[in-house]
Amino acid sequence: ELKVEQNPLFLSMQEGKNYTIYCNYSTTSDRLYWYRQDPGKSLESLFVLLSNGAVKQEGRLMASLDTKARLSTLHITAAVHDLSATYFCAVDLLNSGGSNYKLTFGKGTLLTVNP
Amino acid sequence: EAGVAQSPRYKIIEKRQSVAFWCNPISGHATLYWYQQILGQGPKLLIQFQNNGVVDDSQLPKDRFSAERLKGVDSTLKIQPAKLEDSAVYLCASSPHLFLGTNTGELFFGEGSRLTVL
């Protein structure tokens, strides 16, 4: 069974600082996603990473994927209050029959950016 | 482009009662998912449809949960009878056909239906 672990689960940081959220997973996969969820809202797709070494950037967020290490990182540069949200990584795994992908989510990282 | 529509947004019921949630996916999306998100946790897949066929329902508690997507478009998720532990947000998501060449696997989520069981 695929396990997806994020750390930290809670992150409080000051505006202007940098930090990295880590996502480790237990079974080989080259499809990983990052989603953002604001309180009481649904999940919004941030990044789609589909190959080893993939790097995507959007504003102050940058995501990368190392399939050999089974690790993805979400790096926050010069945080601002608007980035406060819960961030989920999710890993797609093809079943043994090759007929279906199944997405497994981590528990999420609650990010709070303080002025 | 309209997003994934869900209703109702909120529902409060007593245990042992029944409830139904409705989802209309993005037009043209063949694959539809129902996820359960308990407070403080990541979403957990309950059931996945491709068109009107079930692809994966391995984590659906079939003694009380049922779902259908009769015409391959909108879907309903029913819980009967509800238990206290069913209190959660039920998220519907959709994506293009599973193995379509342009499908990146990215899911598009609705706003969710928040269920409280008393």
Side-chain angles (χ1 to χ4, degrees), chain B residues 59-79:
Chain B
Q59 297 185 99
L60 186 73
K62 297 180 185 66
D63 57 335
R64 298 182 300 104
F65 286 65
S66 65
E68 61 183 14
R69 193 185 185 199
L70 291 176
K71 296 181 180 178
V73 179
D74 57 348
S75 174
T76 55
L77 175 71
K78 296 179 182 177
I79 308 174

Side-chain angles (χ1 to χ4, degrees), chain A residues 70-82:
Chain A
R70 301 177 189 170
L71 171 68
S72 179
T73 60
L74 180 66
H75 187 73
I76 304 156
T77 302
V80 293
H81 180 69
D82 285 352

Side-chain angles (χ1 to χ4, degrees), chain B residues 27-80:
Chain B
S27 179
H29 279 192
T31 311
L32 185 149
Y33 311 77
W34 282 102
Y35 282 84
Q36 180 192 58
Q37 187 178 21
I38 293 173
L39 187 64
Q41 297 183 20
K44 182 184 89 171
L45 179 69
L46 291 176
I47 189 165
Q48 177 182 342
F49 293 94
Q50 183 150 289
N51 297 314
N52 59 351
V54 175
V55 176
D56 185 340
D57 63 356
S58 57
Q59 297 185 99
L60 186 73
K62 297 180 185 66
D63 57 335
R64 298 182 300 104
F65 286 65
S66 65
E68 61 183 14
R69 193 185 185 199
L70 291 176
K71 296 181 180 178
V73 179
D74 57 348
S75 174
T76 55
L77 175 71
K78 296 179 182 177
I79 308 174
Q80 181 179 12

Side-chain angles (χ1 to χ4, degrees), chain A residues 31 33 35 37 40-46 48 50 88 92 94 98-108, chain B residues 9 35 37 40-43 45 48 55-56 58-59 91 98-99 103-107 109-112 114:
Chain A
R31 290 163 64 114
Y33 311 85
Y35 287 86
Q37 186 175 39
K41 301 291 185 182
S42 191
L43 284 84
E44 172 193 357
S45 177
L46 289 177
V48 176
L50 299 179
F88 292 94
D92 231 357
L94 191 62
S99 62
N100 182 38
Y101 278 100
K102 183 172 178 175
L103 197 63
T104 300
F105 284 82
K107 289 187 175 181
Chain B
R9 291 291 315 280
Y35 282 84
Q37 187 178 21
Q41 297 183 20
L45 179 69
Q48 177 182 342
V55 176
D56 185 340
S58 57
Q59 297 185 99
L91 295 165
L98 204 58
F99 292 107
N103 184 3
T104 62
E106 182 183 14
L107 301 190
F109 285 86
E111 296 267 296
R114 182 178 297 274

